[in-house]
Each structure stands twice: as structure tokens, then as C-alpha cells.
Amino acid sequence: MIRTAIVGYGNLGRGVEAALAGAPDMELAAVFTRRDPQKLRIKMPGVPVYAYSELAEKAADLDVVVLCGGSATDLPVMTPEIAKIITVVDSFDTHAHIPEHFAAVDAAAKEGGNLAVISTGWDPGLFSVARLYANAALPNGRDYTFWGRGVSQGHSDAIRRIPGVLDARQYTVPVEEAVQRVRNGEDPVLTTRQKHTRECYVVACEGADREAIRQAIVTMPNYFDEYDTTVTFITEEELLRDHAGLPHGGSVIRSGCTGQNGEYRNTVEFSLKLDSNPFFTGSVLTACARAAYKMHQAGGTGARTIFDIPPAYLSSASPEELRAHLL
Amino acid sequence: MIRTAIVGYGNLGRGVEAALAGAPDMELAAVFTRRDPQKLRIKMPGVPVYAYSELAEKAADLDVVVLCGGSATDLPVMTPEIAKIITVVDSFDTHAHIPEHFAAVDAAAKEGGNLAVISTGWDPGLFSVARLYANAALPNGRDYTFWGRGVSQGHSDAIRRIPGVLDARQYTVPVEEAVQRVRNGEDPVLTTRQKHTRECYVVACEGADREAIRQAIVTMPNYFDEYDTTVTFITEEELLRDHAGLPHGGSVIRSGCTGQNGEYRNTVEFSLKLDSNPFFTGSVLTACARAAYKMHQAGGTGARTIFDIPPAYLSSASPEELRAHLL
């Protein structure tokens, strides 16, 4: 059994916990938290909860740690810190900063003789590796990524910070016509606005100026100003009733040519439809934790991404079983 | 430049040749044939054509060989034979015999100190690895594979062997309703008949008994008897005009649950739409030849499948470029 610990018990941590419960070769050995460990109740019975500060002294009883913190401030500090101590997996998703995060984690993991898989989940993660296979098979082509329909927690948070907003849920929605054009192999050049729309469901404080809130949302730079955005005001009850889930998904599509003169068109598509983004992401992190453990057992140290993981390592099945049943 | 040779210059060999022409880090170094090498004209200028019997003596000038023979009789003999001499890639696709083929090639490759990637292309190949990622992410779920709409060469050949048939083309067609039910997460149990239909376009010899041909097709064991099959008689001109291509494709879909009690449904789908099956397959084989070379350079010997290839090895781009642009 691969002794696995979770650091951070939010939605993602609970997703990893549930995935570990279904993994025949892994066990949840501990949960680490920056909250008061006495007050944290986890689902799985009999698993100890420790303070994050205790991780170094408990590491000898663990094989791999799954980091469930945020990319903005937690992971840039925590992943290198933990990689010095033990093999670790994170879901760092600030695409622009991946090279520097990789370098920092690589140095720390090598110093500690450990292995670290960074930036995994579904995007970055499964979507990334889908892009890589599609690019390898169709070097002459064009990539498209569509996200949604699903809840963007970053955009929901941005709305919540507007004065007069009590709560909010933002859905990213792909423009179906654009998706169809890409699937048809038309290779369209698409603007940000042509690819996705944004739907906002907002609970306003009593007496708040709704039109001012709407204006603040639709003009918000980077988040909304380049999109066709709709704002719908709802009650707190409606939000809890109709928008409690965190569904997400999307498609990576590559359209490209083969043939002596590029005469053949081809489309490769990878799609996800997820009732719960954090539980699926937690499941992918768990598979990557298994792979990180195996790569470290095989003598590997330093940072890796999903691009470096032999896919068989993600599975609990043996190579023989995989060849017989999935090949 | 990775010096790459092709063995067998049929549709698939031409597909590999075209893919090599677009690969910045690979070159077509030689073509080997069991036909008369003097009479074989290939597309790429200046590339020598040799008899298959000359492969062993030319191997020192090559890095990797891509085998473009058939799975029925060629590859079970040729892949182990060549794996003793040099690093090799094949597209062996008789699913039931993969374990024994793997064992034979593994022994031969280890004996020669070479590396061999077997059973690659798109199914087995990209479809297989899509199944593996989906199974790793959703261990609690169900797999579905739909093929088509596309030309099955095996089924077309089977029709051609019926007395009175001059030529034929068979399309495998997924049943759209079944695909939609799977996409909707209904987890249906589907019979062979419910998943695919078969469309046959047949050129009959003059005076042949068309009803007898139709009966021979629709009752043919394994090939057609378990399917709803339609037979359309056309002229040779119509066959050449409307059915000259070899399009194919399909979808691998896994539907599964996450959550503490399996309360969240998820669907993972990987789809291909290919104007030319052999040119796309040739392109995948070429990427795998690159990976085989790199794995051998890294000290690897023995047999591998796409399950064992770190995805980054398939690409001509550096790990840094991949992380910066595709992750």
C-alpha cells in the first residue's frame, strides 16, 4: 500500500480522500492542515490529522504527499518546501509561471532526493497530455481548447469581491457554433469573445445598486471585458438550490493535415464532462501520486509533469493486465 | 537526425514516408521491400530502396526501423527478427495475440540489446492510451469504443473473396443513438448489433447472382452475421469515384463515478476523425519511432507499448518548450 498524505482539506483534499478510498494499492495515511487539527473532521475513519508544521517529522511514515493548496500563494512556497522532504504531487495551474515553478521544485526535489509531479489535474494535466499526443500525431495543425459549461471559481470569487455582492456563481460556456466549426476542420481564427460566453448568477445585498454591480462585472478587465457576459440576479435560496455544484469540463481539439501535400484533414478531440471538478481533479492527482511513487521507486528524482509519466504508472493494474485488457 | 527506415511500402509505408518528410528531427534513410527493389518507386527523392534481405547489413547506418507489414502473417515473424538487429516499431493489431507477440519481441529485443515498440497506431495505440488515462482517472466506470464512420479493410477484403464479387468497400458505422446514450452517462449495456452497423458497396461481376452475394455477406460469421448490414451494388466507376478514400475514426468513451458515494457522474471521451487512416497511422508510428529511439538512447531494451512511453518522447520539441506551450 502506498502511504499517501493530503495537505489541505478543502474541496480538492476531499476529492483526493474519496479517490484514495477507491484505490486498491493506496491508503490515506494522514491529513495535514494549517487549521487547528483538533477541529478538523475528515470523512475517512481512523486517519490522523496533523498540523502542517508536523509534516517533516511524520514524513518517514509516508510515501507520497498530495498538495491541495491554491496556486496563487500556497503552492509556490509549499511544493518546493515539501519536495525537499518527500515525494509530492501538486496541481499548480498558473500557466504563465509553470517554468519557474518547475525550476524551483526541481532543485528542491533533487536536493532532497525526492520526486515531484507538478501541475497535474485536468488543465493543466489530462488536457495538456491530450494536446501533446495530438501534436505528436498531427505536427501540422492547430490547437483549440474550450472550457465548460462549468463553474469558474476564480471568476465567481472576482464577482464576490464587488461591493454589494453577497454571493455569486460564474459559468464559463463554450460557444457551440465555434466548437462545431473547429470539429468540422474549418481551422477558424477565433477571438476570445467568439470562443466563450460568461454567465453570472449574483446574489445582491439588500438595497444594493444592481445596475452598478452589473456594470462592474461586465467591464472587469481580463475577467469579463473581452467576453459577452450575462448577469442574472437571484436569491440566496436559488443559488443554494440551483447552483450548489461545481460541474466543469471542456474539449481540447487539434485539427491538422497529413499526406504528401497535406491533402488529408484530421481532427483529434479529447473531452471531459464532470459533475464535480474537485472530485475529478482529486482522482487525477491520486493517479499521479501513484505514478510519482513508482518513478521515485525506480530511482527518479527531481520535478516531472504528466508529459514525463509513462501512462502505465498511473494505473493500479499490472503491465500485463493493461496490455491484455486496454491495449 | 534520427535515421529511420521503412519496411514495406504499401499505404502505411507511404504514410510513414509523408510523416518523416514533416519531422524536423528525423530522416528517411532507406526503404526495404520484399518486392524487386529496382522496380519500387518511392515519393522521396534520393532515398535508397533495398531488398528486405539486406536489412541486417544496412542496420549499422540506421537508428530505427518502422515495420509496415500486416498483422496476420508479416509482423509475428518480422518484428522479432528485426528486433534482434535494431530498434523497431510495429502496428501489430490482433488484440487477442498481443501478449504472445509482446513476449516474442521482448525476448528478441533484449537478445539484440535493442528496443521495440509494438502495437501502436490509433487502435491499438492512441485509443489504448486514452482508455488507460480514463481508467486511471475514473477507476469506477465503464469503457466503450465506437469505430467509424470508416472503411474496414478486413471487412472489404472478406467481401472481395465471395465468388462473383469484383470489388467492394465496407464502412463500419457507429449507431448514433448508442453513442449519445453513452455520452449522456446512461451506462447502457449494448450488444454488438446495437453499437455498429455495416454498409457494403459491392461491384458484382457481370451476370453474378446479386441476391446470393447479398446473402453470403449478411450471413458471414464474425464479420457480418451479428450486425445490421446493408448491401448496395454499384458500378466500378462509382466505387472509384465515391469510395476511393480510406477514411476512419471513432471514439473511446469512459463513463464513471467520483465522490464519497459515487454521487458524481463523469464522462471522458477521445475521438478521431481521419480523412486517411493509413496516413494518420503512419504519423503515429513515426512519433513512436522517435520515442523508441530516445528510450533506447536512454538505455532501454526490450519490448514496450504506448503505455510505457513518456509522452514527451513522442514530440520533436524539447521538454522546456512542451512545458511552456502545451502544459
Side-chain angles (χ1 to χ4, degrees), chain A residues 19-151:
Chain A
L20 285 169
D25 56 337
M26 304 177 80
E27 62 182 356
L28 178 58
V31 171
F32 294 89
T33 180
R34 286 175 297 180
R35 294 181 261 174
D36 179 351
Q38 302 297 329
K39 290 186 183 152
L40 185 66
R41 291 291 179 89
I42 68 165
K43 295 266 182 187
M44 206 175 285
V47 174
V49 179
Y50 300 117
Y52 178 64
S53 57
E54 297 175 273
L55 201 154
E57 63 185 271
K58 302 292 183 191
D61 297 326
L62 302 172
D63 293 313
V64 58
V65 167
V66 183
L67 260 174
C68 299
S71 294
T73 54
D74 296 342
L75 300 178
V77 177
M78 291 169 89
T79 313
E81 206 166 86
I82 297 175
K84 279 186 197 162
I85 302 167
I86 187 168
T87 286
V88 62
V89 172
D90 83 14
S91 60
F92 183 80
D93 66 358
T94 313
H95 288 259
H97 295 140
I98 284 174
E100 65 195 79
H101 186 60
F102 185 90
V105 175
D106 190 50
K110 281 178 178 154
E111 187 188 323
N114 300 309
L115 191 135
V117 174
I118 67 154
S119 298
T120 192
W122 60 272
D123 194 7
L126 295 184
F127 270 20
S128 319
V129 83
R131 287 182 201 108
L132 176 42
Y133 283 107
N135 273 265
L138 293 175
N140 183 12
R142 195 181 283 223
D143 289 316
Y144 296 87
T145 303
F146 294 96
W147 293 276
R149 187 176 196 260
V151 172

Side-chain angles (χ1 to χ4, degrees), chain A residues 1-326:
Chain A
M1 297 295 267
I2 303 171
R3 295 166 302 172
T4 310
I6 293 168
V7 173
Y9 193 76
N11 283 329
L12 183 56
R14 279 188 283 271
V16 174
E17 178 188 35
L20 285 169
D25 56 337
M26 304 177 80
E27 62 182 356
L28 178 58
V31 171
F32 294 89
T33 180
R34 286 175 297 180
R35 294 181 261 174
D36 179 351
Q38 302 297 329
K39 290 186 183 152
L40 185 66
R41 291 291 179 89
I42 68 165
K43 295 266 182 187
M44 206 175 285
V47 174
V49 179
Y50 300 117
Y52 178 64
S53 57
E54 297 175 273
L55 201 154
E57 63 185 271
K58 302 292 183 191
D61 297 326
L62 302 172
D63 293 313
V64 58
V65 167
V66 183
L67 260 174
C68 299
S71 294
T73 54
D74 296 342
L75 300 178
V77 177
M78 291 169 89
T79 313
E81 206 166 86
I82 297 175
K84 279 186 197 162
I85 302 167
I86 187 168
T87 286
V88 62
V89 172
D90 83 14
S91 60
F92 183 80
D93 66 358
T94 313
H95 288 259
H97 295 140
I98 284 174
E100 65 195 79
H101 186 60
F102 185 90
V105 175
D106 190 50
K110 281 178 178 154
E111 187 188 323
N114 300 309
L115 191 135
V117 174
I118 67 154
S119 298
T120 192
W122 60 272
D123 194 7
L126 295 184
F127 270 20
S128 319
V129 83
R131 287 182 201 108
L132 176 42
Y133 283 107
N135 273 265
L138 293 175
N140 183 12
R142 195 181 283 223
D143 289 316
Y144 296 87
T145 303
F146 294 96
W147 293 276
R149 187 176 196 260
V151 172
S152 164
Q153 301 198 60
H155 287 79
S156 301
D157 289 343
I159 300 172
R160 285 191 201 101
R161 286 191 292 266
I162 296 172
V165 171
L166 201 65
D167 203 350
R169 198 72 88 250
Q170 194 269 186
Y171 294 88
T172 306
V173 185
V175 176
E176 195 50 39
E177 185 213 342
V179 179
Q180 284 305 334
R181 289 183 61 197
V182 172
R183 284 191 184 134
N184 292 343
E186 294 178 30
D187 273 5
V189 176
L190 298 167
T191 63
T192 297
R193 193 176 299 275
Q194 288 171 316
K195 288 175 70 184
H196 297 92
T197 57
R198 298 198 176 276
E199 293 177 10
C200 310
Y201 296 87
V202 180
V203 182
C205 301
E206 224 183 288
D209 181 344
R210 293 181 169 202
E211 181 51 27
I213 290 171
R214 203 192 67 78
Q215 276 299 325
I217 294 171
V218 302
T219 60
M220 195 186 296
N222 304 317
Y223 283 87
F224 294 102
D225 63 338
E226 292 179 52
Y227 298 85
D228 289 335
T229 302
T230 55
V231 178
T232 307
F233 289 94
I234 59 175
T235 64
E236 199 167 1
E237 292 67 39
E238 286 170 327
L239 187 113
L240 290 171
R241 187 190 67 202
D242 302 333
H243 305 282
L246 293 169
H248 220 315
S251 298
V252 166
I253 311 177
R254 186 166 175 86
S255 168
C257 299
T258 54
Q260 291 292 347
N261 306 298
E263 64 270 39
Y264 301 117
R265 296 213 60 84
N266 309 271
T267 311
V268 179
E269 178 166 354
F270 180 76
S271 301
L272 293 174
K273 206 167 73 184
L274 314 173
D275 268 4
S276 166
N277 182 353
F279 276 85
F280 185 80
T281 303
S283 191
V284 177
L285 285 178
T286 300
C288 289
R290 173 186 290 124
Y293 170 77
K294 291 184 191 173
M295 289 190 288
H296 185 240
Q297 288 293 105
T301 62
R304 302 285 190 281
T305 73
I306 199 159
F307 295 162
D308 308 305
I309 301 177
Y313 279 20
L314 297 166
S315 173
S316 64
S318 70
E320 292 76 16
E321 287 175 299
L322 294 174
R323 284 195 295 271
H325 300 299
L326 294 183

Side-chain angles (χ1 to χ4, degrees), chain B residues 28 35 52 60 73 90 129 189 192 195 208 225 228 254 262 310:
Chain B
L28 178 58
R35 294 181 262 174
Y52 178 64
T73 54
D90 82 14
V129 83
V189 176
T192 298
K195 288 174 70 181
D225 62 338
D228 288 336
R254 186 167 175 85

Side-chain angles (χ1 to χ4, degrees), chain B residues 21 31 52 168 194 203 223 228 264 282 314 322:
Chain B
V31 171
Y52 178 64
Q194 288 171 318
V203 181
Y223 283 87
D228 288 336
Y264 301 118
L314 297 167
L322 294 174

Side-chain angles (χ1 to χ4, degrees), chain A residues 128 137 183 271 273 283 327, chain B residues 128 137 183 269 271 273 283 327:
Chain A
S128 319
R183 284 191 184 134
S271 301
K273 206 167 73 184
S283 191
L327 200 65
Chain B
S128 319
R183 283 192 184 134
E269 178 167 354
S271 302
K273 206 167 71 183
S283 191
L327 199 64

Side-chain angles (χ1 to χ4, degrees), chain B residues 226-237:
Chain B
E226 290 179 51
Y227 297 86
D228 288 336
T229 301
T230 56
V231 178
T232 306
F233 288 95
I234 59 176
T235 65
E236 197 165 4
E237 292 68 38

